[in-house]
Amino acid sequence: MMRLKRTVGAMVVACSVLATAVSPADTFAAKAPKFAKKSVTVNVGKKAKVSLKNVSKKAKVKWAVKSKKVAKLVKKTKKKAFVKGVKAGKTQVTATIKVGKKKKVLKCKVVVKGKSENKTEQTPVPGVSATPASAAATASATANASTSSATPASSAVATVAPTTAPTAVPTPVATEAPKLKWVSTWGTAEEKTDIQGGTSNPGLAFEGSTVRQIVRVTTTGAKVRLKFSNQYGKSDVEVKSVHIAKQGEDARSPETVASTDTKVTVNGSESFSIPAGKTITTDPVDFQINALENMAISMYFGKTPTSNITGHRGARATTYQMAGNAVSDAEFNYEEASTSWYFLAEVSMELDADARAVVCFGDSITDGYGTDAGYLGKKPDSYTRWGDYFAKRLQANEATKNVGVINEGIGANSILGSYPTDAGKDRFLRDLVEHDGVEYCILHFGVNDITGAKDTNKYNSLIAEYKKMIQICHENNVKIYVAPILPFGTSKDYYTEKAEELRVMINTWLTSDEAGADGIIDFASAVVDPANPINIRKEYTHDDGLHPYDGYSAMADAIDLKLFER
């Protein structure tokens, strides 16, 4: 029997410089840009750093690799890139440095070295003798065959006697299992859905009905688990069955792809209870779904509270309901519909150890108010919140495809006040750390604390809470990026001169070194009316004045994705 002999290869990165004729070195810096080292050696499957020296602050650097089958770039900044070997072969990495119209191209020759995995070592076969001469002849014939498709007649090749030995079977080589972890791919902020007299609850009673809820995942994975919450309930929620499936092609239909229907369990049981005041996490299930695809979560309820329903009012996605058990029905003949989520808190994926999530924390502007404004011809299920556009941008950038987006916005919520649910200062820790794999937070919050202000007395109280939120992030190893409060000068109901004064005071502090944030995301500049900085652009806010209905994409475009790269 033959056995494969595998060795660990190594990648050698040898760097050379090629400058374009149109870019003399003195147009870039006092010294010409160059690689810090002429060569870098790294084991196959590991990372090697290739760094640049003498790069001007004004320069723009674009990295590329010629053959991703040999090596790939796994992280890029202006002055360095990390190259990972894929398989034996040769390629090159280029760093194109531009200053104005001038450019210089630096090339790195990348060599991935290692003995061929097809090289074999003969082992004794029971019942068949193998002499040293025949083994050497076999090796010689194999070597010649690898360099020529036809051996010349004059070549001296030892004749190998026929053998009845079986075809060689590779011996499995033990490899270290990839490190995986759970990372949130979708999440929402829990609140009481019946805070406004039950108008956000479905038309039928939960008990004895199936509710199909739609969520959009933000990363790609093959194993998921769900988290359900009954935080505000006064009694347990009985769930008789839960199934998940991909939503069909129509984002405004409850129809699902039947072949993807998958049962979800808790501790191995199809039926379970969500205890009053608690959350539970389901068992992991194999379920392949791609980033920005919609998942349908169908829940068949037993005994369920009729008030203090935990969920999220501002889903801006349609939830469907019908009597009886229909968790596996691809064609869901619903009787009622709403635009809230119920008992859902999170969907997580098992992803590579490098995956991570970002919490978007705020009020109605983060929640996406106005994206379903009927009077403007907008409808639910559009996925046009700034967080949705942000998720699309992360997916379009190779270095951030494994970053999940969690929307923790609640309409009408404020930092200091408890309407319509817990005050922002009280829910911040929960909504930050209850999710899996969170490494970033975008904080865009506070407008509801200052609207209609007649003085600036809230300033000190708000700054104290901002400081606590920044501290909570850092204590939990989360980077926090703060976004200044948007202007709202054309809002007839909320604007006052003192409110604007307070907004400027808060924004000045938020963007100062004293705040201690890890970065600034300037949403305000993205939507401001340049002719009158106390207003949002008319084409974004229409007659609202407070919410940037059609400016959410501009907000997402203002986010520097490098803040979320390794």
Side-chain angles (χ1 to χ4, degrees), residues 273-306:
S273 293
I274 313 173
K278 302 292 184 180
T279 64
I280 62 168
T281 301
T282 70
D283 302 325
V285 295
D286 293 330
F287 188 80
Q288 177 67 52
I289 189 166
N290 297 323
L292 309 182
E293 287 187 326
N294 293 348
M295 176 192 293
I297 302 170
S298 302
M299 304 176 69
Y300 176 45
F301 289 95
K303 189 175 181 181
T304 308
T306 57

Side-chain angles (χ1 to χ4, degrees), residues 88 115 126 202 215 261 276 322 393 426 433 453 461 542 546:
K115 295 182 180 180
V215 303
D261 181 70
M322 63 180 290
R393 291 193 63 218
D426 297 324
V433 302
S461 297
H542 302 284
L546 182 69

Side-chain angles (χ1 to χ4, degrees), residues 459 483-487 502-512 524:
Y459 175 78
I485 299 172
L486 305 187
L502 188 53
R503 184 183 77 90
V504 172
M505 291 169 64
I506 291 172
N507 286 351
T508 300
W509 183 86
L510 279 175
T511 57
S512 70

